[in-house]
Short mmCIF file of all heavy atoms in Angstrom, two decimals:
data_model
loop_
_atom_site.label_atom_id
_atom_site.label_comp_id
_atom_site.label_asym_id
_atom_site.label_seq_id
_atom_site.Cartn_x
_atom_site.Cartn_y
_atom_site.Cartn_z
N ALA A 1 93.83 130.45 104.37
CA ALA A 1 94.10 131.30 103.18
C ALA A 1 95.40 130.94 102.64
O ALA A 1 96.40 131.83 102.89
CB ALA A 1 94.02 132.78 103.71
N PRO A 2 95.53 129.89 101.99
CA PRO A 2 96.94 129.58 101.47
C PRO A 2 97.16 130.59 100.29
O PRO A 2 96.29 130.89 99.43
CB PRO A 2 96.65 128.08 100.78
CG PRO A 2 95.20 128.00 100.65
CD PRO A 2 94.70 128.79 101.81
N PRO A 3 98.44 131.02 100.25
CA PRO A 3 98.83 131.86 99.08
C PRO A 3 98.68 131.15 97.78
O PRO A 3 98.84 130.00 97.63
CB PRO A 3 100.26 132.24 99.39
CG PRO A 3 100.83 131.15 100.25
CD PRO A 3 99.62 130.60 101.02
N THR A 4 98.32 131.89 96.74
CA THR A 4 98.44 131.40 95.47
C THR A 4 99.69 131.23 94.86
O THR A 4 100.43 132.21 94.85
CB THR A 4 97.55 132.29 94.42
OG1 THR A 4 96.19 132.40 94.87
CG2 THR A 4 97.49 131.70 93.00
N ILE A 5 100.07 129.96 94.42
CA ILE A 5 101.43 129.73 93.84
C ILE A 5 101.19 129.64 92.25
O ILE A 5 100.42 128.80 91.75
CB ILE A 5 101.86 128.41 94.42
CG1 ILE A 5 102.02 128.39 95.93
CG2 ILE A 5 103.28 127.99 93.78
CD1 ILE A 5 102.19 126.88 96.44
N LEU A 6 102.02 130.41 91.63
CA LEU A 6 101.90 130.57 90.11
C LEU A 6 103.06 129.49 89.57
O LEU A 6 104.21 129.74 89.90
CB LEU A 6 102.14 131.93 89.74
CG LEU A 6 101.10 132.94 90.15
CD1 LEU A 6 101.33 134.29 89.58
CD2 LEU A 6 99.56 132.39 89.81
N MET A 7 102.67 128.77 88.68
CA MET A 7 103.65 127.83 87.96
C MET A 7 103.38 127.79 86.50
O MET A 7 102.09 127.72 86.12
CB MET A 7 103.60 126.39 88.55
CG MET A 7 103.76 126.32 90.14
SD MET A 7 103.66 124.59 90.75
CE MET A 7 105.23 123.94 90.25
N GLN A 8 104.37 128.06 85.71
CA GLN A 8 104.09 128.10 84.17
C GLN A 8 104.39 126.84 83.49
O GLN A 8 105.48 126.33 83.67
CB GLN A 8 104.92 129.27 83.61
CG GLN A 8 104.85 129.40 82.00
CD GLN A 8 103.52 129.88 81.76
OE1 GLN A 8 103.05 131.09 82.16
NE2 GLN A 8 102.80 129.35 80.87
N LEU A 9 103.45 126.31 82.75
CA LEU A 9 103.56 125.05 81.95
C LEU A 9 103.82 125.67 80.56
O LEU A 9 103.12 126.55 79.91
CB LEU A 9 102.32 124.22 81.94
CG LEU A 9 102.30 123.31 83.17
CD1 LEU A 9 100.99 122.33 82.87
CD2 LEU A 9 103.51 122.33 83.29
N HIS A 10 104.81 124.96 79.79
CA HIS A 10 104.97 125.13 78.42
C HIS A 10 104.65 123.81 77.71
O HIS A 10 104.68 122.78 78.31
CB HIS A 10 106.44 125.59 78.08
CG HIS A 10 106.81 126.91 78.75
ND1 HIS A 10 106.44 128.16 78.34
CD2 HIS A 10 107.54 127.08 79.99
CE1 HIS A 10 106.98 128.97 79.19
NE2 HIS A 10 107.55 128.49 80.15
N GLU A 11 104.44 123.82 76.38
CA GLU A 11 104.22 122.65 75.54
C GLU A 11 105.27 121.65 75.87
O GLU A 11 106.50 121.97 75.69
CB GLU A 11 104.01 123.02 74.09
CG GLU A 11 103.63 121.82 73.25
CD GLU A 11 103.42 122.24 71.76
OE1 GLU A 11 103.42 123.44 71.47
OE2 GLU A 11 103.35 121.24 71.02
N GLY A 12 104.97 120.47 76.17
CA GLY A 12 105.96 119.37 76.47
C GLY A 12 106.25 119.21 77.81
O GLY A 12 106.93 118.24 78.27
N ASP A 13 105.92 120.16 78.68
CA ASP A 13 106.16 119.99 80.15
C ASP A 13 105.17 119.11 80.82
O ASP A 13 104.03 118.87 80.26
CB ASP A 13 106.07 121.48 80.84
CG ASP A 13 107.16 122.26 80.46
OD1 ASP A 13 108.15 121.92 79.88
OD2 ASP A 13 107.06 123.62 80.61
N SER A 14 105.62 118.57 81.89
CA SER A 14 104.55 117.64 82.77
C SER A 14 104.55 118.12 84.19
O SER A 14 105.43 118.52 84.72
CB SER A 14 105.09 116.21 82.73
OG SER A 14 105.15 115.73 81.43
N LEU A 15 103.36 118.12 84.64
CA LEU A 15 102.93 118.36 86.13
C LEU A 15 102.84 117.03 86.84
O LEU A 15 102.03 116.30 86.38
CB LEU A 15 101.78 119.31 86.22
CG LEU A 15 101.33 119.62 87.52
CD1 LEU A 15 102.22 120.51 88.37
CD2 LEU A 15 99.90 120.12 87.55
N ILE A 16 103.58 116.93 88.04
CA ILE A 16 103.47 115.72 88.68
C ILE A 16 102.95 116.07 90.02
O ILE A 16 103.68 116.78 90.88
CB ILE A 16 104.85 115.00 88.82
CG1 ILE A 16 105.22 114.52 87.44
CG2 ILE A 16 104.67 113.76 89.70
CD1 ILE A 16 106.03 115.46 86.73
N LEU A 17 101.83 115.50 90.45
CA LEU A 17 101.18 115.56 91.87
C LEU A 17 101.21 114.25 92.48
O LEU A 17 101.08 113.23 91.72
CB LEU A 17 99.84 116.14 91.75
CG LEU A 17 99.58 117.53 91.04
CD1 LEU A 17 98.03 117.76 91.03
CD2 LEU A 17 100.31 118.55 91.70
N TYR A 18 101.40 114.11 93.77
CA TYR A 18 101.57 112.88 94.42
C TYR A 18 101.22 113.00 95.94
O TYR A 18 101.01 114.17 96.35
CB TYR A 18 103.13 112.42 94.28
CG TYR A 18 104.07 113.46 94.81
CD1 TYR A 18 104.55 113.34 96.17
CD2 TYR A 18 104.43 114.59 94.14
CE1 TYR A 18 105.49 114.29 96.61
CE2 TYR A 18 105.22 115.48 94.56
CZ TYR A 18 105.81 115.35 95.91
OH TYR A 18 106.68 116.35 96.38
N THR A 19 101.18 111.89 96.51
CA THR A 19 101.04 111.79 98.01
C THR A 19 102.23 111.52 98.82
O THR A 19 103.22 111.14 98.13
CB THR A 19 99.83 110.87 98.44
OG1 THR A 19 100.30 109.55 98.08
CG2 THR A 19 98.61 111.23 97.58
N ASP A 20 102.27 111.74 100.08
CA ASP A 20 103.55 111.43 100.69
C ASP A 20 103.90 110.12 100.96
O ASP A 20 104.94 109.67 101.47
CB ASP A 20 103.40 112.19 102.17
CG ASP A 20 102.31 111.62 103.19
OD1 ASP A 20 101.57 110.63 102.70
OD2 ASP A 20 101.94 112.24 104.11
N GLY A 21 102.98 109.16 100.54
CA GLY A 21 103.40 107.77 100.42
C GLY A 21 104.60 107.38 99.51
O GLY A 21 105.33 106.57 99.67
N ILE A 22 104.91 108.39 98.58
CA ILE A 22 106.03 108.32 97.78
C ILE A 22 107.31 108.71 98.57
O ILE A 22 108.22 107.99 98.81
CB ILE A 22 105.88 109.38 96.55
CG1 ILE A 22 104.80 108.77 95.57
CG2 ILE A 22 107.20 109.35 95.76
CD1 ILE A 22 105.19 107.58 94.68
N THR A 23 107.29 110.00 98.99
CA THR A 23 108.50 110.53 99.61
C THR A 23 108.79 109.88 101.05
O THR A 23 109.95 109.89 101.42
CB THR A 23 108.38 112.13 99.73
OG1 THR A 23 107.20 112.38 100.34
CG2 THR A 23 108.39 112.88 98.34
N GLU A 24 107.78 109.35 101.71
CA GLU A 24 108.02 108.77 102.98
C GLU A 24 108.33 107.34 102.98
O GLU A 24 108.48 106.67 104.09
CB GLU A 24 106.90 109.04 103.93
CG GLU A 24 106.78 110.67 104.30
CD GLU A 24 105.62 110.91 105.14
OE1 GLU A 24 104.93 110.04 105.49
OE2 GLU A 24 105.46 112.11 105.44
N ALA A 25 108.33 106.71 101.84
CA ALA A 25 108.48 105.25 101.61
C ALA A 25 110.02 104.99 102.21
O ALA A 25 110.94 105.77 101.83
CB ALA A 25 108.41 104.77 100.26
N ARG A 26 110.20 104.07 102.98
CA ARG A 26 111.56 103.77 103.59
C ARG A 26 112.22 102.47 102.97
O ARG A 26 111.49 101.51 102.66
CB ARG A 26 111.38 103.48 105.04
CG ARG A 26 110.94 104.82 105.79
CD ARG A 26 110.78 104.65 107.35
NE ARG A 26 110.43 105.89 107.91
CZ ARG A 26 111.25 106.87 108.29
NH1 ARG A 26 112.55 106.77 108.07
NH2 ARG A 26 110.75 108.00 108.89
N SER A 27 113.40 102.45 102.90
CA SER A 27 114.20 101.34 102.53
C SER A 27 114.39 100.24 103.75
O SER A 27 113.87 100.76 104.78
CB SER A 27 115.62 101.70 102.05
OG SER A 27 116.37 102.29 103.18
N ASP A 28 115.05 99.19 103.51
CA ASP A 28 115.14 98.31 104.56
C ASP A 28 116.08 98.85 105.72
O ASP A 28 116.21 98.20 106.71
CB ASP A 28 115.59 96.95 104.17
CG ASP A 28 116.78 97.11 103.11
OD1 ASP A 28 117.35 98.18 103.11
OD2 ASP A 28 117.16 95.95 102.61
N LYS A 29 116.82 99.89 105.24
CA LYS A 29 117.76 100.62 106.33
C LYS A 29 116.98 101.75 106.97
O LYS A 29 117.61 102.52 107.75
CB LYS A 29 118.92 101.11 105.63
CG LYS A 29 119.78 100.03 105.01
CD LYS A 29 121.03 100.48 104.37
CE LYS A 29 121.89 99.31 103.79
NZ LYS A 29 123.12 99.87 103.16
N GLY A 30 115.76 101.95 106.61
CA GLY A 30 115.03 103.07 107.25
C GLY A 30 115.17 104.43 106.56
O GLY A 30 114.70 105.46 107.15
N GLU A 31 115.87 104.44 105.46
CA GLU A 31 115.94 105.75 104.76
C GLU A 31 114.81 105.92 103.89
O GLU A 31 114.20 105.19 103.18
CB GLU A 31 117.21 105.62 103.90
CG GLU A 31 118.49 105.45 104.63
CD GLU A 31 119.61 105.05 103.61
OE1 GLU A 31 119.46 104.83 102.38
OE2 GLU A 31 120.84 105.14 104.09
N GLN A 32 114.23 107.27 103.96
CA GLN A 32 113.09 107.78 103.12
C GLN A 32 113.46 107.97 101.64
O GLN A 32 114.71 108.31 101.33
CB GLN A 32 112.50 109.05 103.72
CG GLN A 32 111.81 108.89 104.97
CD GLN A 32 111.14 110.05 105.38
OE1 GLN A 32 111.16 111.09 104.96
NE2 GLN A 32 110.10 109.83 106.39
N PHE A 33 112.51 107.75 100.84
CA PHE A 33 112.73 107.96 99.39
C PHE A 33 113.07 109.44 99.21
O PHE A 33 114.08 109.85 98.47
CB PHE A 33 111.58 107.59 98.65
CG PHE A 33 111.68 107.39 97.21
CD1 PHE A 33 112.48 106.61 96.61
CD2 PHE A 33 110.91 108.30 96.24
CE1 PHE A 33 112.63 106.51 95.26
CE2 PHE A 33 111.13 108.25 94.94
CZ PHE A 33 111.99 107.21 94.43
N GLY A 34 112.32 110.30 99.62
CA GLY A 34 112.58 111.73 99.79
C GLY A 34 112.42 112.47 98.40
O GLY A 34 112.19 111.85 97.35
N ASP A 35 112.49 113.79 98.53
CA ASP A 35 112.26 114.66 97.34
C ASP A 35 113.32 114.46 96.32
O ASP A 35 113.09 114.47 95.19
CB ASP A 35 112.27 116.11 97.71
CG ASP A 35 111.10 116.48 98.65
OD1 ASP A 35 109.98 115.79 98.60
OD2 ASP A 35 110.99 117.47 99.34
N HIS A 36 114.62 114.24 96.90
CA HIS A 36 115.70 114.06 95.89
C HIS A 36 115.63 112.89 94.98
O HIS A 36 115.72 113.01 93.76
CB HIS A 36 117.07 114.10 96.61
CG HIS A 36 118.28 114.00 95.75
ND1 HIS A 36 118.57 114.99 94.90
CD2 HIS A 36 119.15 113.06 95.58
CE1 HIS A 36 119.69 114.69 94.20
NE2 HIS A 36 120.02 113.39 94.68
N LYS A 37 115.34 111.80 95.62
CA LYS A 37 115.22 110.49 94.68
C LYS A 37 113.90 110.59 93.82
O LYS A 37 113.83 110.16 92.62
CB LYS A 37 115.06 109.33 95.65
CG LYS A 37 116.45 108.96 96.12
CD LYS A 37 116.45 107.56 96.85
CE LYS A 37 117.74 107.15 97.25
NZ LYS A 37 117.88 105.85 97.91
N LEU A 38 112.98 111.26 94.32
CA LEU A 38 111.71 111.58 93.45
C LEU A 38 111.99 112.32 92.21
O LEU A 38 111.57 112.02 91.14
CB LEU A 38 110.62 112.13 94.31
CG LEU A 38 109.25 112.56 93.55
CD1 LEU A 38 108.76 111.38 92.75
CD2 LEU A 38 108.25 113.19 94.56
N SER A 39 112.78 113.50 92.50
CA SER A 39 113.11 114.31 91.36
C SER A 39 114.02 113.59 90.39
O SER A 39 113.80 113.75 89.13
CB SER A 39 114.03 115.56 91.88
OG SER A 39 114.41 116.43 90.86
#
């Protein structure tokens, strides 16, 4: 029973959905891409 999350879109806004292959991608030093770099 996941809670309903409300998010408001306005004209010109964009919604981005993705998989964890983005945020968990690692550099050659083992650092994850993470939410901050994605943002």
Side-chain angles (χ1 to χ4, degrees):
T4 299
I5 302 168
L6 299 180
M7 304 176 77
Q8 180 67 57
L9 277 185
H10 302 281
E11 185 174 350
D13 292 344
S14 298
L15 173 70
I16 296 92
L17 303 176
Y18 56 99
T19 62
D20 60 10
I22 295 281
T23 51
E24 293 180 1
R26 294 183 180 273
S27 68
D28 51 9
K29 296 181 180 179
E31 299 172 345
Q32 290 191 344
F33 192 65
D35 293 338
H36 181 64
K37 285 190 175 181
L38 175 56
S39 178

